[in-house]
Amino acid sequence: MLFFNSTKNGVEMNDNFIPLEFTLLSEPEMFERSTEFYNSIKKRRTVRDFSNREIPLEIVKNALRSAGTAPNGANMQPWHFVVVTNKDIKHKIRIAAEEEEREFYNIKAPQEWLDDLSPLGTDASKPFLEYAPVLIAVFEKKYGINELGEKKKYYYTKESVGIACGILITALHQSGLATLTHTPSPMNFLNEVLNRPANEKPYLLLVVGYPKENTMVPNISKKSLTEIADFI
Ligand code: IYR
């Protein structure tokens, strides 16, 4: 690769590096922001009862822009998001997902798994896949395809897409929307229904909308800081 170097204030510069935009905050402000963020994110709950009320698509677009900033392997950005609002396509997804889920709940799932799920009150019926205003199908690009149609290696794709999904869910929550991380298994039907290529593996189906009024959620709690972290 060719570098065209110049000097700025005696420092060698080239276009491959640009100055970091970093806002240095005072410690009180850092503390205030961290507390404010925690107080907001701890209210995020997985919702399974969605209202059919429309949501502003611009909010979803901004959340996806945020997800697209995720750190990832060699900046290959190995993700693709399909935002589904079309009723017929949502119906197709519901039918295919419920078929997988019936198989899971009635045949495949071991008793221990069913017991672990029982506090959540889930079953094979997934009406929200049809009635929630937006589904975001997240695909993991296992590899890329270059201009010549050849395979391009991608790195840490699962980790990268997982981080992007975390940012996506957080951004939607911060914007005032509820989500459900839904993972019917296997989800291969999503490639067919959404017409995605073979290098993309369905990673997550994120249901997005407003919760139904008076929605109840499982009475479960999160582990404490001492349970999840050590300081050495
Ligand atoms: N995919 C099923 C089962 C399920 C599995 C886990 I692990 C969960 O945390 C929740 C549900 C379903 O969506 O019902």
Side-chain angles (χ1 to χ4, degrees):
M1 199 179 282
L2 263 183
F3 296 133
F4 296 98
N5 291 337
S6 63
T7 323
K8 191 177 172 197
N9 302 330
V11 180
E12 281 284 314
M13 301 285 286
N14 66 51
D15 285 348
N16 292 18
F17 286 87
I18 55 170
L20 170 69
E21 277 182 49
F22 183 86
T23 313
L24 191 63
L25 304 174
S26 70
E27 285 195 9
E29 187 165 1
M30 290 164 74
F31 182 73
E32 194 182 311
R33 283 195 188 203
S34 76
T35 308
E36 206 176 293
F37 182 76
Y38 171 56
N39 284 334
S40 165
I41 201 67
K42 75 181 179 190
K43 293 198 192 116
R44 186 207 60 79
R45 291 301 308 261
T46 291
V47 160
R48 290 190 169 80
D49 291 314
F50 285 89
S51 147
N52 61 3
R53 184 177 155 194
E54 298 290 311
I55 61 174
L57 222 49
E58 199 49 46
I59 305 283
V60 175
K61 287 183 183 173
N62 270 341
L64 289 168
R65 287 183 182 108
S66 301
T69 69
N72 67 91
N75 200 34
M76 295 295 155
Q77 305 169 61
W79 40 65
H80 190 80
F81 304 93
V82 181
V83 179
V84 184
T85 54
N86 179 287
K87 280 197 164 47
D88 295 338
I89 299 178
K90 285 193 287 182
H91 178 72
K92 276 192 189 152
I93 291 175
R94 174 188 179 178
I95 298 298
E98 285 185 335
E99 200 177 315
E100 296 289 2
E101 295 295 6
R102 276 194 299 277
E103 181 109 348
F104 171 78
Y105 282 95
N106 300 333
I107 300 162
K108 286 205 269 186
Q111 193 55 43
E112 182 184 3
W113 196 341
L114 294 175
D115 292 345
D116 287 339
L117 289 180
S118 85
L120 307 180
T122 56
D123 59 29
S125 157
K126 306 292 175 194
F128 48 76
L129 292 177
E130 197 163 358
Y131 301 127
V134 169
L135 306 178
I136 305 177
V138 183
F139 290 85
E140 171 196 3
K141 293 190 177 197
K142 304 295 277 185
Y143 53 90
I145 311 280
N146 71 14
E147 312 78 47
L148 303 172
E150 298 159 339
K151 283 191 183 181
K152 168 78 194 82
K153 192 158 170 35
Y154 281 1
Y155 313 91
Y156 296 101
T157 56
K158 250 194 182 17
E159 293 82 351
S160 303
V161 182
I163 297 168
C165 285
I167 295 178
L168 177 60
I169 292 163
T170 305
L172 291 166
H173 172 76
Q174 289 301 103
S175 313
L177 291 169
T179 57
L180 163 63
T181 42
H182 184 51
T183 53
S185 166
M187 292 192 275
N188 303 341
F189 64 85
L190 285 175
N191 283 75
E192 202 181 302
V193 177
L194 301 176
N195 201 19
R196 298 308 306 167
N199 62 323
E200 294 185 8
K201 188 166 184 264
Y203 185 88
L204 180 71
L205 189 54
L206 197 67
V207 186
V208 190
Y210 296 101
K212 237 189 216 155
E213 250 176 81
N214 306 316
T215 288
M216 304 288 281
V217 290
N219 185 10
I220 53 175
S221 57
K222 297 295 181 191
K223 292 177 182 172
S224 69
L225 179 61
T226 48
E227 285 171 290
I228 66 168
D230 279 314
F231 296 81
I232 56 174

